[in-house]
Amino acid sequence: AADADHPYGHGRIETAATIVVGILLLGTAALIGHNAVESLAAAAIMPGTLTLAVAVAAVAIKEAVFHYTRRIARRIQSRLLEANAWHHRSDALSSIIVAVGIAGALSGWPILDAVAAIVVALMIAKVAWDLIHQSLRELVDTGLDAAERARLRDSARAVDGVRHVHTLRSRWMGASVLLDLHVQVGPRISVSEGHRIAEAVAAALRARQPRLGDVLVHVDPEDDTGGGPSNALPLRTELVGRLWQRWTGLAVLGRIEDLTLHYLGGRVHVRLTLAPAPAGSAAGAEAEALRAATAGDPAVGSVTILERRAPI
Ligand SMILES: [Zn+2]
Ligand SMILES: [Zn+2]
């Protein structure tokens, strides 16, 4: 679970520990292989049937521990526990070598021991290498494969309100996947609708891929794949300050009720809402003067002026 100092959880520690267990398994394989080669040269000592029974019992117990541990590992999706399970199996396999060796010696085939040992050493080395390889891929931020990314992109695009999806990135963190993506929505929808769509996208992706951990959805009002065209435009306080200077002396100022800014296509598109004009005033001319003054700012694109109707 995450804490203040490790906001993404402790998945990477488990991954590093898995690599350590993998290296231990490789060492076990090397040791078994080395002993096998040595025993090929050594003289065979005749063991008894009791030793054989003990070796067989040891195999059964260690194999049972392996299956039990691996079942838990799969249930909680812990690669570290799975690596530990394989450690138990490597013990079971070494006991098999002992049993096979004893059986071989009892039946006049002392070389069986060494041959079995070499086969087992290779099997353990293979498991160890797979564990290390998987964990290393995770440590270098390997993500989901292309087919799975395409499926997730389709799920996001299918959400109502999403027009395009781009820059979908993922990476494994322990047993879960962190994902971020950009969704392009209608350019003039409200912030709250954009947020609602983003939450719906995250829910749809989670339904599709249960191993997703954190999902970050970035909402775009326009295509920004080649760099956001509107990122250099002034923010509200600066722009409105400039507009107030242009508006100085306009009779209509007291009627401005709402000012909406749309940052699209490298311009700020301004929408002004005015309170109803007093009866007999030159409402049309006042609105036109406001429109012209607003459009004079170099950052401003289109200007829309809405006048509320006076209640009848
Ligand atoms: Zn939110
Ligand atoms: Zn984007």
Side-chain angles (χ1 to χ4, degrees), residues 172-187:
W172 282 97
M173 179 69 78
S176 60
V177 177
L178 308 184
L179 189 93
D180 54 86
L181 76 162
H182 289 208
V183 295
Q184 191 181 332
V185 299

Side-chain angles (χ1 to χ4, degrees), residues 127-183:
V127 169
W129 172 247
D130 287 349
L131 285 169
I132 293 171
H133 181 69
Q134 256 183 354
S135 300
L136 282 179
R137 274 166 54 95
E138 186 185 320
L139 283 186
V140 295
D141 276 347
T142 303
L144 296 166
D145 62 38
E148 180 62 12
R149 287 201 305 274
R151 276 193 289 276
L152 290 175
R153 214 175 279 123
D154 288 344
S155 300
R157 208 181 284 120
V159 171
D160 185 22
V162 174
R163 296 187 174 183
H164 299 285
V165 175
H166 68 99
T167 324
L168 184 144
R169 302 184 304 175
S170 65
R171 57 199 162 119
W172 282 97
M173 179 69 78
S176 60
V177 177
L178 308 184
L179 189 93
D180 54 86
L181 76 162
H182 289 208
V183 295

Side-chain angles (χ1 to χ4, degrees), residues 20-279:
V20 172
V21 175
I23 291 170
L24 287 176
L25 279 172
L26 268 187
T28 307
L31 205 66
I32 292 174
H34 177 77
N35 287 347
V37 172
E38 281 208 325
S39 76
L40 274 178
I45 304 154
M46 280 302 282
T49 43
L50 179 64
T51 327
L52 179 61
V54 170
V56 169
V59 171
I61 291 167
K62 284 165 183 169
E63 182 69 9
V65 173
F66 161 74
H67 282 286
Y68 178 72
T69 312
R70 190 173 63 167
R71 204 170 63 228
I72 295 175
R74 299 235 158 123
R75 199 172 65 219
I76 67 172
Q77 297 187 333
S78 164
R79 212 133 65 203
L80 177 59
L81 207 55
E82 179 142 6
N84 266 318
W86 277 99
H87 212 150
H88 290 307
R89 174 161 266 188
S90 77
D91 286 348
L93 291 172
S94 352
S95 300
I96 288 181
I97 305 168
V98 175
V100 168
I102 295 166
L106 286 176
S107 52
W109 291 87
I111 202 176
L112 262 182
D113 180 19
V115 172
I118 289 168
V119 171
V120 164
L122 290 175
M123 285 171 59
I124 295 175
K126 168 80 169 68
V127 169
W129 172 247
D130 287 349
L131 285 169
I132 293 171
H133 181 69
Q134 256 183 354
S135 300
L136 282 179
R137 274 166 54 95
E138 186 185 320
L139 283 186
V140 295
D141 276 347
T142 303
L144 296 166
D145 62 38
E148 180 62 12
R149 287 201 305 274
R151 276 193 289 276
L152 290 175
R153 214 175 279 123
D154 288 344
S155 300
R157 208 181 284 120
V159 171
D160 185 22
V162 174
R163 296 187 174 183
H164 299 285
V165 175
H166 68 99
T167 324
L168 184 144
R169 302 184 304 175
S170 65
R171 57 199 162 119
W172 282 97
M173 179 69 78
S176 60
V177 177
L178 308 184
L179 189 93
D180 54 86
L181 76 162
H182 289 208
V183 295
Q184 191 181 332
V185 299
R188 288 168 188 264
I189 65 171
S190 68
V191 172
S192 59
E193 186 179 357
H195 184 262
R196 179 69 191 87
I197 292 170
E199 294 293 308
V201 166
L205 294 176
R206 284 221 170 74
R208 181 100 213 193
Q209 172 52 266
R211 301 191 77 166
L212 287 185
D214 289 353
V215 176
L216 184 69
V217 184
H218 175 94
V219 176
D220 282 328
E222 59 189 344
D223 186 5
D224 64 351
T225 42
S230 307
N231 289 348
L233 293 169
L235 293 177
R236 174 176 285 262
T237 301
E238 181 190 340
L239 181 67
V240 171
R242 274 160 37 180
L243 291 178
W244 269 102
Q245 289 180 355
R246 294 182 173 275
W247 291 341
T248 306
L250 292 182
V252 78
L253 285 189
R255 287 168 53 212
I256 297 177
E257 287 187 333
D258 186 57
L259 174 63
T260 304
L261 306 176
H262 290 290
Y263 291 77
L264 297 167
R267 288 295 171 83
V268 187
H269 303 279
V270 180
R271 201 191 64 187
L272 288 148
T273 307
L274 303 181

